[in-house]
Amino acid sequence: MDFGEVPLGEGQGAILAHSMAVKGGRLRKGARLGAAELGRLAAAGHDRIWIARLGPGDIGEDAAARRLAEALLPDPPGQGLRIGAPGTGRVNLFAETAGIVEIDAERIRRVNGVDPMITVATVPEWYGLDPGGMVATIKIISYGVAETALNAACMAAPGALRLRAAAHRTAVLIETDVGAPLSDKGRRALELRLTRLGVGLAEYRVVPHAVEDLAAALAGAEAEVLFILTGSATSDLQDTAPEALRAAGGTVERFGMPVDPGNLLFTGTLRGRPVIGLPGCARSAALNGADWVLERVLCGVPVTSEDIAAMGVGGLLKEMPSRPAPRLGRKIVQRDDVTGESPA
């Protein structure tokens, strides 16, 4: 592609590189320069212009962005995504339904490594999206790109993006009662999270905060995913809720996560069904570590102990009320958005 400043008379058929003032407004950059456009520029007193002119081996920005989008999404319905309309060298990709985004980061890296003029930017992996949420944007930086580079980027692209919608349809929440006044904030906050993904809260039960009562409730639950929210925070692998899961015949796979708020989460299984012991901060609708786990679980993505351990980078979601905020040089007061309690 040729790019530079030329006399106005040499601009026929080229692409205007920069917006320019003309009578009645501006001629926008990216405009194809025909006789009418050159006449308007001349009438405005311009005698030199900056242009781009594609070479024989170049593809225009919109066509290139569209081709790369189609390479990333060879089967948009099957991948749960759709391709937006191209404009100014950009094509956006959108979620067709609620879910989380599965990303092959190495493929995206390879696409972006072909030519600096070819770019793909995505949301973080496993990012939760509502229907119509933007998953990625493809941008051709210049007004055109060499077809050989575009072909190489397209070869690297297939399989890089996929939306994972909910794989489970029903859930149960079992909450334990420690004798204090019981609020339904935990149930309402979980229902919000489930509804966004199209999952129903099939059952909600409140039982005494005791191993035998909670174990019986777990053993009798029939939903596909089981959630536990204890009236007193789970503080150890041998505490009431993990012990109850084991007593019901289940297995505890992980207790504790390097995400604040959300440290006191635990995961397990019971008769092949996922079990999530929610931290106290899950009573709030605000983002916390439990969201990162439950969204994946509900969408059928396995979450191992190693996966949770890797969540520490980026896992500091907000300052906690129990510790000083070093960047402020003083203690801050921060309370849970729904309960008014300190998040766990």
Side-chain angles (χ1 to χ4, degrees):
M1 184 180 74
D2 294 327
F3 187 95
E5 188 182 30
V6 299
L8 184 63
E10 297 180 12
Q12 181 74 29
I15 301 165
L16 185 64
H18 303 294
S19 297
M20 299 186 74
V22 294
K23 186 177 180 180
R26 296 183 69 79
L27 197 59
R28 297 294 179 186
K29 67 177 184 177
R32 282 283 180 177
L33 296 174
E37 289 76 20
L38 292 173
R40 293 181 68 190
L41 289 165
H46 300 293
D47 59 1
R48 296 185 67 82
I49 53 174
W50 284 84
I51 63 157
R53 199 183 297 275
L54 300 183
D58 293 334
I59 303 294
E61 57 179 349
D62 284 355
R66 179 73 191 192
R67 274 177 54 175
L68 183 52
E70 291 170 348
L72 282 163
L73 301 185
D75 177 22
Q79 293 170 263
L81 303 169
R82 66 176 175 85
I83 300 173
T88 63
R90 184 183 303 278
V91 171
N92 297 324
L93 308 181
F94 301 95
E96 284 281 38
T97 187
I100 59 175
V101 185
E102 183 176 358
I103 300 173
D104 187 328
E106 176 57 25
R107 287 184 181 275
I108 297 295
R109 188 200 66 76
R110 291 207 300 268
V111 170
N112 286 324
V114 170
D115 187 308
M117 297 298 102
I118 300 172
T119 69
V120 179
T122 75
V123 297
E125 188 174 22
W126 307 125
Y127 191 79
L129 288 160
D130 293 325
M134 188 185 298
V135 172
T137 186
I138 298 156
K139 173 64 176 174
I140 305 302
I141 302 296
S142 55
Y143 293 105
V145 68
E147 187 170 18
T148 53
L150 178 63
N151 289 341
C154 289
M155 287 288 291
L161 295 171
R162 176 188 173 194
L163 187 81
R164 299 285 291 259
H168 300 286
R169 292 300 170 194
T170 61
V172 60
L173 173 62
I174 304 171
E175 192 165 0
T176 66
D177 183 0
V178 294
L182 193 64
S183 166
D184 70 345
K185 290 177 180 177
R187 177 189 61 78
R188 289 190 286 114
L190 181 61
E191 273 192 312
L192 284 173
R193 293 177 163 96
L194 297 177
T195 300
R196 190 183 70 77
L197 288 169
V199 180
L201 186 61
E203 185 181 359
Y204 171 62
R205 295 188 62 183
V206 178
V207 300
H209 187 76
V211 170
E212 56 273 18
D213 294 287
L214 181 52
L218 288 168
E222 297 181 355
E224 297 172 59
V225 182
L226 287 67
F227 291 95
I228 303 169
L229 184 58
T230 53
S232 179
T234 298
S235 300
D236 188 83
L237 191 56
Q238 311 303 319
D239 211 338
T240 302
E243 280 287 283
L245 176 55
R246 285 188 285 265
T251 302
V252 177
E253 295 172 351
R254 169 93 187 196
F255 169 64
M257 69 183 307
V259 181
D260 253 339
N263 292 148
L264 302 183
L265 174 140
F266 73 88
T267 62
T269 58
L270 177 62
R271 298 196 299 275
R273 295 170 297 164
V275 179
I276 299 176
L278 296 168
C281 57
R283 291 186 174 89
S284 166
L287 177 69
N288 63 78
D291 289 295
W292 291 1
V293 174
L294 72 84
E295 287 183 340
R296 296 195 204 182
V297 167
L298 291 171
C299 292
V301 178
V303 183
T304 66
S305 180
E306 290 76 15
D307 291 330
I308 294 176
M311 294 177 183
V313 176
L316 180 57
L317 301 182
K318 65 179 181 179
E319 288 289 354
M320 304 297 290
S322 57
R323 65 166 178 262
R327 64 178 177 271
L328 299 178
R330 59 180 175 83
K331 286 192 175 183
I332 61 173
V333 177
Q334 186 176 46
R335 301 186 72 82
D336 186 280
D337 296 340
V338 172
T339 66
E341 301 169 353
S342 299

